Amino acid sequence: MVDGLPAIPAGPLAGVKVVELAGMGPGPHAAMLLADMGAEVVRVERPGRGGGGAQLRGRRIVSADLKDAGDLDQVRRLIDRSDVLIEGFRPGVTERMGLGPDECCRRNPGLVYTRVTGWGQTGPRAAQAGHDINYIGLTGLLHAIGAPDRPPAPPLNVVGDYGGGSLFAVVGVLAALVERQTSGRGQVIDAAIVNGTALLAHVLWSMRADGRWSGERGANIFDGSAPFYRTYECADGGFVAVGALEPQFYAELLRLLDIDPETLGPQRDRAGWPAMGRLLADRFREYPRDHWSEVFAGTDACVTPVLTIAEAMEDSHLSARGVFVDVNGVRQPGPAPLFSRTPAPPPAPPRAMPVTPTSPPPSR
């Protein structure tokens, strides 16, 4: 108590207990997001496995040999006392371990059993291996990215694994926890990256449906084909990102570049885009990136510098918002979103704990 006020709880998910069966990519990322929001996350790893880097912050880690009957029983009892289980194995793997959803939910009817995979639990590809590039390729999203005269380039591995995978897994967990307050029962979440990725790009399907996009690469204003929504090289080899979509922002862009709009055709006339793009490219190449950063600072032209990772960590706006934090000496993105009443404590490095569960079962 401070001045008669109750203490602030440690994050909006304080009291929620999560077990993460160690895996790669979106599963650990989903567990980290829950930990960032205050959940108590325990990661179960094979002895000697380790690794995972910054994505393991906020965890307690136990080592358990799931082929050993004693260790397996202790992990089952840990799951019995938890609200959420996250696993990212191929379909059928946890069933063979003796930790499948039927077994775990029979023992703990309130458990939210979360399965994060690329292809999902059903369908012809369910048992196949895959990675982000495969999932976004099959959903049509990869085909829509990049210039039409070059092969599609993968946008790192963030669109599928983390945008379509871990974020939708977390949404599913939160929704299931809310529903459990009424029903008293948990459920199994099939968080497939292919489903999440397709939904993540729903705006493109909407544009295609109403005739604003043919579905082909180089014909969508968001893929860099529009000269007012792309990156430009500057005199020093740096780049700026231009996102002047709306007419008023486009007008501000031309004003600050000292370009007479009468020399250009209508903003949305595709026939004039090649000439418009050449003019903008020539203008931006006249000065270094930081010059243009100063010109456009504080304006609504929607022009910003393209920062390197190292530069982003020192940016004044990102620093003011605490976008990056230090955890155990490692600089990394901090928790998001931010909460007004239940802020989580600063993320902490993972720490080891005994496999034997000691905490009481959660109240339902």
Side-chain angles (χ1 to χ4, degrees), residues 97-185:
M97 291 178 178
L99 295 175
D102 290 346
E103 169 72 8
C104 291
C105 294
R106 179 186 61 80
R107 295 171 59 105
N108 181 357
L111 182 68
V112 176
Y113 193 109
T114 312
R115 318 194 80 169
V116 191
T117 60
W119 305 117
Q121 299 298 310
T122 59
R125 296 181 184 270
Q128 287 182 247
H131 279 295
D132 182 290
I133 192 171
N134 307 116
Y135 311 136
I136 67 174
L138 199 72
T139 54
L141 192 57
L142 182 58
H143 182 268
I145 297 172
D149 58 344
R150 292 192 295 273
L156 305 178
N157 69 326
V158 298
V159 174
D161 282 351
Y162 305 113
S166 59
L167 288 183
F168 280 90
V170 169
V171 168
V173 166
L174 300 180
L177 289 175
V178 170
E179 192 277 340
R180 192 183 69 176
Q181 294 177 352
T182 301
S183 69
R185 299 170 58 197

Side-chain angles (χ1 to χ4, degrees), residues 21-24 27 86-90 94 114-118:
L21 300 183
M24 297 174 58
I86 297 176
E87 63 96 355
F89 302 109
R90 297 195 206 190
T94 56
T114 312
R115 318 194 80 169
V116 191
T117 60

Side-chain angles (χ1 to χ4, degrees), residues 16-91:
V16 174
K17 299 182 185 300
V18 179
V19 173
E20 171 201 356
L21 300 183
M24 297 174 58
H29 189 251
M32 183 195 75
L33 296 178
L34 295 174
D36 284 348
M37 290 185 279
E40 179 184 325
V41 180
V42 176
R43 177 179 167 97
V44 179
E45 292 184 344
R46 294 199 302 268
R49 176 76 173 185
Q55 278 195 8
L56 299 190
R57 73 185 186 205
R59 314 282 217 289
R60 293 187 295 165
I61 296 179
V62 300
S63 295
D65 181 358
L66 298 181
K67 295 181 180 180
D68 178 87
D71 280 8
L72 179 62
D73 184 60
Q74 289 178 341
V75 171
R76 283 195 182 114
R77 289 192 282 124
L78 184 65
I79 295 170
D80 290 346
R81 298 167 180 264
S82 296
D83 301 283
V84 180
L85 174 71
I86 297 176
E87 63 96 355
F89 302 109
R90 297 195 206 190

Side-chain angles (χ1 to χ4, degrees), residues 101-283:
D102 290 346
E103 169 72 8
C104 291
C105 294
R106 179 186 61 80
R107 295 171 59 105
N108 181 357
L111 182 68
V112 176
Y113 193 109
T114 312
R115 318 194 80 169
V116 191
T117 60
W119 305 117
Q121 299 298 310
T122 59
R125 296 181 184 270
Q128 287 182 247
H131 279 295
D132 182 290
I133 192 171
N134 307 116
Y135 311 136
I136 67 174
L138 199 72
T139 54
L141 192 57
L142 182 58
H143 182 268
I145 297 172
D149 58 344
R150 292 192 295 273
L156 305 178
N157 69 326
V158 298
V159 174
D161 282 351
Y162 305 113
S166 59
L167 288 183
F168 280 90
V170 169
V171 168
V173 166
L174 300 180
L177 289 175
V178 170
E179 192 277 340
R180 192 183 69 176
Q181 294 177 352
T182 301
S183 69
R185 299 170 58 197
Q187 55 186 303
V188 180
I189 298 171
D190 181 356
I193 293 173
V194 289
N195 290 77
T197 297
L199 183 55
L200 193 69
H202 192 275
V203 66
L204 300 181
W205 270 262
S206 298
M207 292 172 63
R208 184 174 183 272
D210 63 20
R212 287 181 292 154
W213 178 43
S214 67
E216 294 303 311
R217 191 162 64 259
N220 171 4
I221 60 172
F222 297 117
D223 62 15
S225 57
F228 45 83
Y229 198 90
R230 67 171 64 157
T231 59
Y232 289 95
E233 187 174 8
C234 303
D236 58 349
F239 297 89
V240 292
V242 176
L245 287 172
E246 290 79 4
Q248 67 272 27
F249 302 155
Y250 175 70
E252 182 74 345
L253 168 70
L254 298 186
R255 184 183 72 81
L256 292 168
L257 288 175
D258 196 22
I259 294 176
D260 183 354
E262 296 299 322
T263 63
L264 302 173
Q267 179 185 0
R268 298 290 175 139
D269 181 5
R270 290 176 180 266
W273 283 3
M276 185 188 298
R278 288 192 294 271
L279 179 58
L280 292 178
D282 289 343
R283 186 57 53 89

